[in-house]
């Protein structure tokens, strides 16, 4: 093996790009977005912690219904929904605004001007989410899945989003250079798709309700596409950005990137109808959703292959780099969860998994094991470049990784197995329903254990983050990147 | 893909495609659906055209005022996150075998609902026809005991209790006729001299649950004989 294969690209070290002018340019871009990006990351981590506490409450309530049972504002339906919205609109959107906009600005080689407006929009977004989550707990929840935030808070969210999203588009409009990288396609598309989805869903369900089950069609077109056309492209853009950056090696194939992007763009947005299989909607709608769900195999395999071919032979570096350890865990989860998702859309499989904890497990595999893990990787990459200082503790990063990866694996296995059994038993009318409920309890307890592990990981992450942010002199002066294993001496 | 207009057109049409295919087309097909009589009869003008019979009740029925308030309580408490309101056809799942309904539900069953609560999770059973399963005064009493604390009538349930929908108070003179009627020696019964009475929200919620019944036929979904 050559020396090259043992080295992590110099670009992992924010001070040591070979090309001085590139370094200066990136440094100017980083400086222009620093305040806004820091605000978004701090908000994201705040929401992650709030969402975690809400998740733990919901998890314990699901097997111990008397737990905090006397408080109306903490009843399961509300805590669970507050958790979802805190994570989706608090954690996910803030971390997207931080990492996504930062990557976009860097790739477009354009500094962020008028950053005060971006910061104000960010503050008002977070006020909107706070009002929304409190509204849910107060009982002003809409009971429309993924759109629980009360009506009065949504215009503020839409407006703030418009003021934030436009920065990504402006960065693209005023980009320098000829080349447009695959991450830019994903980010540009997602920045445009999300508001379209959100406004249509708000209009047709909440403000001017469409008749009958048209609402359900809109609901699942929206809810599935929030994952597919918002979280997924942003996470894929991050993976496409950090892998070549850390390894110093270009993406394996441009053509696979193009194919992966456009096949996702065309197929994913039809797939949501599989949430209505067996429901009171026309069969053609559901069939269209099933076809698209199965076609999703193409972008998933293509992207998976492209990422795999890019890191192949460099697994030791992947394991050493905090960024890549998280991002590659997420990328692998993307392949697995998407293939499971495609099969769940088949009517025979869906007959068992629909209405069970299997779906909950699947959602967490997508949003946590894929999206969130990738975004942790993105934050691990971005922060040293924004702050020009290193992560204080490799041990805490390691703890974060192990707690998160083991925790989410336990959750996925427990909910998939428990949910599958639940579905089989629910479809057997000879088994009394209450028995099927009781049989889910051990699996739900395992889910609570996994939640505790995830909490440990999140606390480790937060401690490391704030330690870095308010770093003492010793952390500031460190020059070497924080890596997770010792570098092996070249042979 | 270096060109913003080209890239943007692709991005736009990708989503416009499913927006028109699913949302607009779905709306064209279902957005004008009206309540209907249980069966259709041939039209006087053209015997090949089936029409609704004059003077027959059109289903689904609108909710009563108190049931509408109860639906709001159902929404506020997030019941949808554990209970669906949709019955799948025979042979796909066991919804009808479990007695959750008499027939599958179809799009027309939901046309009067300003908010459609189909749900996607069955931590608890389906409720589309729960008012047919627990009907009348017996159903009302059962629902109140169940909401106050599910363990009273459904031991082992993981459903949360809703004690905040009820008021525990000292009995002065006569007990309230609305007081919950606990089974003898129930460990959840109030201490002697006290009674548990539903608040108005609990009463509304139970009226809503009692109103959930799919016991009528529709031309496209007759109840099998």
């Amino acid at each position: 093996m050559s020396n090259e294969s043992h080295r992590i690209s110099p670009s992992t070290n924010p001070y040591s790009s070979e090309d001085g002018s590139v370094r200066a340019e990136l440094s100017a871009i980083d400086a222009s977005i620093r305040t806004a990006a820091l605000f978004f990351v701090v908000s994201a981590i705040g929401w992650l912690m709030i969402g975690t506490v809400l998740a733990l409450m919901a998890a314990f309530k699901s097997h111990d219904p008397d737990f905090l049972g006397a408080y109306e504002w903490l009843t399961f339906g509300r805590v669970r929904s507050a958790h979802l919205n805190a994570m989706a609109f608090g954690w996910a959107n803030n971390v997207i605004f931080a990492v996504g906009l930062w990557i976009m600005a860097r790739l477009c080689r354009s500094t962020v001007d008028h950053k005060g407006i971006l910061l104000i929009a960010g503050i008002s977004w977070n006020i909107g989410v706070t009002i929304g989550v409190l509204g849910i707990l107060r009982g002003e929840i809409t009971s429309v899945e993924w759109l629980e935030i009360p009506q009065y808070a949504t215009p503020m969210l839409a407006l703030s989003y418009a003021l934030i999203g436009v920065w990504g588009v402006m960065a693209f409009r005023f980009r320098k250079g000829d080349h447009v990288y695959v991450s830019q396609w994903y980010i540009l598309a997602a920045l445009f798709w999300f508001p379209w989805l959100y406004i249509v869903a708000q209009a047709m369900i909440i403000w001017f309700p469409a008749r009958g089950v048209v609402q359900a069609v809109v609901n699942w077109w929206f809810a599935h596409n929030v994952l597919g056309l918002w979280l997924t492209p942003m996470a894929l853009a991050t993976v496409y950005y950090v892998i070549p950056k850390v390894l110093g090696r270009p993406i394996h194939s441009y053509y696979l990137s193009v194919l992966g992007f456009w096949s996702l763009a065309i197929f994913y947005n039809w797939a949501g109808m599989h949430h209505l299989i067996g429901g009171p909607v026309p069969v053609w709608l559901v069939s269209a959703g099933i076809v698209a769900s199965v076609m999703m195999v193409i972008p998933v395999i293509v992207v998976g292959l492209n990422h795999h071919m890019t890191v192949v032979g460099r697994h030791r570096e992947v394991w050493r780099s905090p960024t890549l350890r998280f991002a590659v865990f997420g990328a692998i989860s993307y392949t697995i969860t998407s293939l499971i998702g495609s099969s769940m859309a088949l009517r025979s499989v869906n007959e068992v998994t629909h209405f069970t904890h299997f779906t909950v497990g699947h959602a967490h595999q997508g949003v946590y094991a894929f999206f969130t893990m990738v975004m942790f990787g993105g934050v691990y990459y971005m922060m040293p470049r924004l702050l020009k200082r290193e992560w204080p503790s490799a041990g805490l990063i390691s703890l974060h990784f192990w707690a998160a990866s083991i925790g989410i694996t336990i959750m996925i296995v427990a909910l998939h197995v428990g949910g599958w059994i639940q579905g089989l038993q629910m479809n057997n009318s000879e088994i009394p329903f209450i028995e099927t409920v009781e049989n889910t309890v051990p699996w739900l307890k395992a889910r609570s254990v996994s939640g505790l592990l995830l909490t440990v990981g999140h606390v480790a992450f937060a401690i490391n983050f704030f330690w870095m942010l308010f770093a003492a002199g010793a952390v500031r002066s460190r020059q070497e990147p924080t890596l997770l294993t010792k570098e092996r001496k070249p042979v | 893909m270096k060109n913003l207009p080209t890239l943007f057109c692709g991005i736009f049409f990708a989503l416009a495609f499913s927006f028109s295919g699913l949302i607009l087309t779905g709306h064209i097909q279902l957005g004008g659906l009206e309540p209907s009589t249980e069966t259709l009869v041939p039209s006087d003008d053209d015997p090949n055209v089936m029409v609704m019979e004059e003077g027959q009740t059109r289903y689904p029925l609108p909710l009563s005022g108190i049931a509408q308030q109860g639906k709001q309580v159902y929404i506020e408490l997030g019941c949808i996150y554990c209970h669906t309101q949709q019955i799948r056809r025979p042979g796909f799942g066991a919804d009808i075998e479990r007695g959750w309904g008499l027939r599958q539900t179809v799009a027309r069953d939901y046309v009067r609902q300003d908010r459609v609560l189909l749900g996607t999770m069955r931590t608890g059973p389906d409720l589309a026809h729960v008012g047919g399963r627990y009907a009348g005064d017996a159903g009302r009493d059962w629902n109140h005991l169940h909401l106050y604390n599910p363990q009273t009538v459904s031991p082992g349930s993981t459903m949360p209790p809703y004690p905040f929908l009820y008021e525990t108070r000292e009995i002065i003179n006569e007990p309230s006729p609305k007081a919950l009627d606990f089974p003898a020696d129930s460990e959840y019964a109030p201490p002697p001299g006290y009674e548990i009475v539903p608040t108005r929200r609990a009463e509304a919620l139970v009226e809503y649950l009692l109103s959930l019944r799919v016991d009528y036929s529709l031309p496209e979904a007759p109840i099998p004989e």
Side-chain angles (χ1 to χ4, degrees):
Chain A
M1 294 258 270
S2 70
N3 286 355
E4 186 266 342
S5 70
H6 290 295
R7 211 182 324 123
I8 288 198
S9 161
S11 67
T12 44
N13 186 330
Y15 319 115
S16 63
S17 175
E18 293 106 304
D19 185 339
S21 66
V22 171
R23 201 173 65 197
E25 189 181 18
L26 284 178
S27 187
I29 294 167
D30 290 352
S32 75
I33 201 173
R34 177 178 299 131
T35 315
L38 281 178
F39 172 78
F40 285 124
V41 186
V42 170
S43 310
I45 293 176
W47 282 113
L48 180 71
M49 304 315 281
I50 294 169
T52 306
V53 172
L54 292 165
L56 281 177
M57 282 196 263
F60 278 89
K61 279 166 170 283
S62 71
H63 53 78
D64 186 4
D66 284 331
F67 177 66
L68 301 172
Y71 308 104
E72 174 165 5
W73 59 287
L74 291 178
T75 194
F76 176 82
R78 293 191 195 165
V79 167
R80 167 237 175 260
S81 304
H83 153 68
L84 186 145
N85 283 276
M87 289 305 199
F89 296 102
W91 154 249
N93 274 27
N94 273 303
V95 79
I96 282 173
F97 295 150
V99 176
L101 289 185
W102 178 71
I103 289 176
M104 192 65 159
R106 279 188 145 211
L107 287 171
C108 295
R109 296 169 56 198
S110 77
T111 52
V112 174
D113 303 325
H114 309 293
K115 52 203 173 215
I117 300 176
L118 182 57
L119 192 61
I120 291 167
I123 292 170
S124 83
W125 171 268
N126 281 285
I127 293 173
V129 178
T130 309
I131 294 173
V133 170
L134 287 176
I136 290 169
L137 293 173
R138 280 160 47 100
E140 286 150 315
I141 173 175
T142 64
S143 277
V144 180
E145 288 186 69
W146 288 86
L147 293 164
E148 285 89 353
I149 288 184
Q151 187 170 6
Y152 55 75
T154 53
M156 186 172 184
L157 288 178
L159 195 68
S160 321
Y161 173 81
L163 286 174
I164 296 165
V166 77
W167 291 102
V169 180
M170 293 309 270
F172 193 83
R173 172 69 185 75
F174 296 106
R175 68 194 182 278
K176 286 186 211 128
D178 227 12
H179 185 67
V180 178
Y181 185 61
V182 49
S183 297
Q184 287 164 287
W185 318 334
Y186 278 110
I187 296 173
L188 184 71
L191 285 173
F192 172 72
W193 285 330
F194 177 69
W196 186 346
L197 295 163
Y198 191 71
I199 290 167
V200 168
Q202 281 292 334
M204 293 185 73
I205 302 175
I206 309 289
W207 292 83
F208 314 103
R211 179 159 304 185
V213 295
V214 177
Q215 287 178 32
V217 173
V218 178
N219 194 179
W220 286 109
W221 180 74
F222 169 77
H224 200 76
N225 282 338
V226 169
L227 308 177
L229 299 184
W230 176 239
L231 303 187
T232 299
M234 290 299 184
L236 290 180
T238 307
V239 176
Y240 270 118
Y241 185 74
V242 296
I243 289 180
K245 272 286 189 184
V246 176
L247 293 182
R249 175 196 257 195
I251 282 294
H252 172 70
S253 161
Y254 174 79
Y255 294 100
L256 287 183
S257 307
V258 176
L259 180 60
F261 174 76
W262 287 112
S263 51
L264 177 120
I266 290 166
F267 296 130
Y268 211 134
N269 56 91
W270 289 77
M273 296 305 112
H274 61 222
H275 287 272
L276 298 169
I277 292 174
V281 294
V283 173
W284 70 263
L285 271 170
V286 170
S287 299
I290 296 173
V291 171
S293 306
V294 174
M295 294 302 280
M296 273 304 293
V297 170
I298 296 172
V300 168
I301 295 289
V302 162
V303 168
L305 200 62
N306 211 8
H307 289 162
H308 176 75
M309 293 306 286
T310 310
V311 300
V312 75
R314 303 287 295 274
H315 296 115
R316 191 171 294 119
E317 285 82 350
V318 168
W319 195 241
R320 288 186 65 212
S321 151
T323 301
L324 286 195
R325 201 188 274 193
F326 279 93
V328 169
F329 183 100
I332 294 169
S333 299
Y334 175 60
T335 310
I336 299 171
T337 191
S338 301
L339 294 178
I340 293 176
S342 292
S343 59
M344 283 167 76
L346 301 173
R347 282 191 171 86
S348 51
V349 179
N350 192 272
E351 186 182 0
V352 178
T353 61
H354 200 21
F355 305 134
T356 70
H357 294 292
F358 195 100
T359 314
V360 183
H362 178 64
H364 284 87
Q365 189 169 24
V367 178
Y368 196 97
F370 163 47
F371 172 81
T372 296
M373 291 297 269
V374 168
M375 285 304 174
F376 286 145
V379 173
Y380 279 122
Y381 185 78
M382 179 176 78
M383 290 309 296
R385 282 144 194 88
L386 280 183
L387 294 178
K388 307 242 184 281
R389 70 185 76 136
E390 284 302 330
W391 288 93
S393 163
L396 282 173
I397 300 177
S398 223
L399 177 63
H400 179 200
F401 177 79
W402 287 112
S405 57
I406 295 174
I408 195 63
T409 305
I410 292 174
M411 183 190 295
I412 291 166
V413 170
L415 293 180
H416 278 70
V417 176
W420 186 262
I421 296 171
Q422 182 195 5
L424 288 177
Q425 296 188 335
M426 194 152 33
N427 289 346
N428 179 354
S429 61
E430 284 168 17
I431 303 174
F433 187 77
I434 190 71
E435 238 173 78
T436 72
V437 172
E438 285 165 341
N439 291 340
T440 61
V441 167
W443 305 101
L444 296 177
K445 286 182 175 163
R447 193 250 308 261
S448 291
V449 172
S450 77
L452 291 172
L453 274 171
L454 295 181
T455 309
V456 170
H458 297 163
V459 170
F461 177 52
I463 291 174
N464 216 6
F465 177 84
F466 287 104
W467 185 0
M468 180 184 195
L469 195 60
F470 305 112
V475 180
R476 278 176 201 275
S477 62
R478 269 176 64 170
Q479 296 285 317
E480 288 299 307
T482 306
L483 299 172
L484 296 176
T485 55
K486 295 249 180 317
E487 186 159 15
R488 268 174 39 155
K489 290 275 171 278
V491 188
Chain B
M1 297 202 298
K2 296 172 183 171
N3 193 323
L4 179 60
T6 322
L7 181 60
F8 190 77
C9 280
I11 290 168
F12 175 83
F13 283 112
L15 191 58
F17 193 33
S18 79
F19 175 70
S20 24
L22 299 174
I23 307 301
L24 294 182
T25 317
H27 189 65
I28 290 166
Q29 184 180 355
L30 298 171
L33 209 58
E34 295 286 348
S36 166
T37 52
E38 292 195 272
T39 51
L40 301 178
V41 292
S43 156
D44 294 338
D45 307 328
D46 180 354
N48 291 322
V49 176
M50 303 296 281
V51 294
M52 288 187 273
E53 237 178 310
E54 295 290 326
Q56 295 286 326
T57 312
R58 299 193 179 186
Y59 293 97
L61 297 172
L63 285 185
S64 70
I66 188 164
Q68 189 66 44
Q69 290 170 18
K71 180 174 182 176
Q72 191 54 39
V73 179
Y74 188 96
I75 290 171
E76 285 166 11
L77 295 175
C79 305
I80 191 179
Y81 298 102
C82 295
H83 295 283
T84 53
Q85 290 187 22
Q86 50 175 316
I87 302 158
R88 292 185 289 180
R89 65 173 190 272
F92 195 75
D95 300 8
I96 297 200
E97 288 92 323
R98 283 200 175 275
W100 287 345
L102 308 172
R103 62 166 174 85
Q104 75 176 106
T105 52
V106 294
R108 201 188 300 276
D109 288 312
Y110 302 86
V111 293
R112 285 200 198 263
Q113 300 183 12
D114 51 350
R115 178 146 305 155
V116 175
L117 300 167
L118 287 186
T120 51
M121 185 67 187
R122 285 180 176 168
T123 305
D126 187 86
L127 299 182
H129 185 59
V130 69
R133 294 190 280 134
Y134 296 93
D137 286 341
R140 192 172 285 114
D141 292 348
W142 186 91
N143 271 307
H144 278 304
L145 286 174
H146 188 242
L147 284 168
Y148 176 71
N149 189 337
Q151 308 299 330
T152 315
V153 286
S154 183
S157 168
T158 54
M159 176 164 144
Y162 297 92
F164 42 81
L165 294 179
Y166 295 85
E167 196 186 328
T168 305
R169 64 185 190 197
E170 203 174 349
I171 302 175
I172 298 163
N173 304 327
E174 287 290 295
S176 163
K178 289 179 180 169
L180 268 55
D181 185 14
F182 285 87
D185 67 27
S186 168
E187 56 178 305
Y188 305 101
Y194 286 81
E195 62 183 358
I196 290 165
V197 287
T199 61
R200 176 149 178 92
R201 293 171 74 211
E203 287 178 25
L205 178 56
V206 169
E207 289 313 311
Y208 172 63
L209 294 175
L210 294 179
S211 80
L212 292 174
R213 39 201 313 158
V214 188
D215 52 5
Y216 53 87
S217 288
L218 287 174
E220 66 273 32
I223 293 175
E225 293 298 322

